[in-house]
Amino acid sequence: MSAGLLFAFIAPLVWALMNVIDKIVLSRRVRDPLAYMVVAGLVNILYGGALALTAGWHGVRAQDLASSSATGVCLGLQFYCYFTVLQAEDASHFIGTLFVFPVLVALASFALLGERISAVGCLAMSLAIAGVMLLSARMRRQGAHAWWKIAVMVLLCAGYEFLTKLATVALPERQGIAVTSIALGLTTLPCLLHRRTRAAFPAELRNLPWALLSESLTLLAVVSVYLAMARSKAGLVSAVGAVQPLAVVLFERFAQSRYRAIASDQALLPKLGAILLIALGVALLCASELGRPALSDGLSAPGW
């Protein structure tokens, strides 16, 4: 297995673990999700700043920071929707609905980066996305109302991964990840201009230990995505990421047995058909894309 593919598989597993931990915290401890979002944003600034102090910045120009900063802004804007929707919905349903975005990433990679996906790869992506949509259909039947936020997150997820691909060319991974983490955190701070959020913020500081844990997983996931994007095709990395809803279902089921009341839909069997489609799609895509050089081969910035 190539290093890029390994990191591509690590990232969705870490994201999934973070999703379930966030759901537990939002369900059991958080009263104002936007105020908690700012706490999480400050943690990302802390982590990004610490990473920046260990990186060398000689020769880095202001324009080199653009794609990494935009990646962080995309993540930060996701936070505005993510914490409010996740508090109200099952993690497995919510995360499942987001995974139409690999199609957008693949199309953007084809149109702007010249990356090509074989016919088998296209079929595989279709299977994976169909499985994800079947998995998330249960959310619609339960009367979810936050579809506009989910639609915004789909676009931001696509933008995040596509911009990450560009960022790996502009900067070495360590500098890029530091800039992304800081930009993510800064993007959440304007929420404090909202009076209600500002009033709730001091109380949410009690959840700082949970934010430190959860955002350490965010940092690990961002590192994995950067390293995967630097070594593999953007479409492949995004498609492999479609295993995240499967991992969320498994982690959620384990957490439900321990903590209770974090998932309203506890039926596993109805989800198995969708899960099998996702697994088959990812396996076919990996088989069709392995061995092909990534566009970024020889173009990426110096490594970690």
Side-chain angles (χ1 to χ4, degrees), residues 244-262:
Q244 183 179 340
L246 170 60
V248 168
V249 169
L250 299 177
F251 291 152
E252 181 184 69
R253 193 167 183 83
F254 174 77
Q256 178 71 18
S257 68
R258 297 290 300 273
Y259 297 100
R260 309 291 179 186
I262 69 165

Side-chain angles (χ1 to χ4, degrees), residues 74-98:
C74 277
L75 277 173
L77 291 175
Q78 284 182 50
F79 271 29
Y80 283 82
C81 300
Y82 171 78
F83 285 104
T84 54
V85 176
L86 188 61
Q87 188 178 52
E89 307 294 343
D90 287 2
S92 56
H93 290 169
F94 173 41
I95 300 305
T97 59
L98 298 181

Side-chain angles (χ1 to χ4, degrees), residues 255-277:
Q256 178 71 18
S257 68
R258 297 290 300 273
Y259 297 100
R260 309 291 179 186
I262 69 165
S264 57
D265 181 5
Q266 300 178 34
L268 179 62
L269 288 179
K271 302 175 183 179
L272 287 182
I275 291 171
L276 290 174
L277 280 177

Side-chain angles (χ1 to χ4, degrees), residues 150-298:
I150 295 172
V152 170
M153 281 202 65
V154 168
L155 295 176
L156 290 172
C157 284
Y160 153 70
E161 293 217 359
F162 183 68
L163 288 167
T164 301
K165 184 68 172 182
L166 299 181
T168 60
V169 178
L171 282 176
E173 288 96 344
R174 186 179 304 190
Q175 287 90 331
I177 293 165
V179 172
T180 294
S181 296
I182 293 172
L184 188 168
L186 291 175
T187 304
T188 67
L189 297 185
C191 198
L192 288 176
L193 297 174
H194 185 240
R195 182 182 301 176
R196 178 178 173 182
T197 302
R198 190 167 60 251
F201 176 72
E204 293 302 334
L205 284 173
R206 75 184 191 279
N207 292 316
L208 179 61
W210 287 102
L212 289 167
L213 171 62
S214 178
E215 298 315 309
S216 66
L217 294 175
T218 297
L219 179 62
L220 178 58
V222 170
V223 169
S224 300
V225 171
Y226 260 83
L227 295 177
M229 287 289 190
R231 293 159 175 80
S232 300
K233 292 186 175 184
L236 176 60
V237 174
S238 297
V240 171
V243 304
Q244 183 179 340
L246 170 60
V248 168
V249 169
L250 299 177
F251 291 152
E252 181 184 69
R253 193 167 183 83
F254 174 77
Q256 178 71 18
S257 68
R258 297 290 300 273
Y259 297 100
R260 309 291 179 186
I262 69 165
S264 57
D265 181 5
Q266 300 178 34
L268 179 62
L269 288 179
K271 302 175 183 179
L272 287 182
I275 291 171
L276 290 174
L277 280 177
I278 295 169
L280 177 60
V282 170
L284 283 176
L285 185 66
C286 292
S288 67
E289 296 298 324
L290 284 177
R292 298 188 180 192
L295 178 71
S296 57
D297 289 351

Side-chain angles (χ1 to χ4, degrees), residues 30 55 64-65 69 77 80-81 135 182:
V30 171
D64 296 332
L65 308 179
S69 299
L77 291 175
Y80 283 82
C81 300
L135 182 66
I182 293 172

